[in-house]
Amino acid sequence: MFDGYAVELLEQIKKNQEEILKRMNNLENQVNGEYVTVREAAEMKQCSVQAIHHHLMNNVDLEPEVDWIKRGGKNLIKRTALSKIVVKKSA
């Protein structure tokens, strides 16, 4: 009797775990589509990674947690906020 209950409980846990993993993957895909990494932003703006970092820290138009977020040790910039980053080309 106890063994049947334990097996049923483990099956329910596995089902819940699969659902949680599916939802996490969905959220991760949404974030990846909406945000770009600093390196990708630098390639798009044709500037250095340091220039993008400088803008993130010093540009008053870019708000943390609104225009850019830090996830997993990486800064991610919203695609819609890229227009706020204006890099001057050196002559």
Side-chain angles (χ1 to χ4, degrees), residues 15-85:
K15 183 178 177 183
N16 289 345
Q17 180 183 22
E18 289 171 356
E19 179 64 25
I20 290 169
L21 289 173
K22 193 184 307 181
R23 288 182 183 190
M24 284 176 55
N25 283 335
N26 261 350
L27 289 173
E28 191 173 302
N29 289 338
Q30 286 176 358
V31 166
N32 288 342
E34 189 176 350
Y35 290 89
V36 296
T37 64
V38 171
R39 182 170 302 284
E40 291 170 327
E43 289 172 2
M44 290 176 189
K45 293 291 185 175
Q46 297 177 347
C47 65
S48 67
V49 170
Q50 291 82 7
I52 299 297
H53 280 291
H54 177 78
H55 275 281
L56 293 180
M57 300 305 152
N58 299 310
N59 189 339
V60 293
D61 292 334
L62 293 171
E63 298 179 49
E65 299 300 323
V66 174
D67 295 318
W68 62 276
I69 57 175
K70 189 169 204 113
R71 292 289 184 265
K74 291 184 178 183
N75 291 326
L76 300 174
I77 306 165
K78 252 188 191 176
R79 289 184 186 275
T80 56
L82 286 174
S83 61
K84 297 178 183 179
I85 299 175

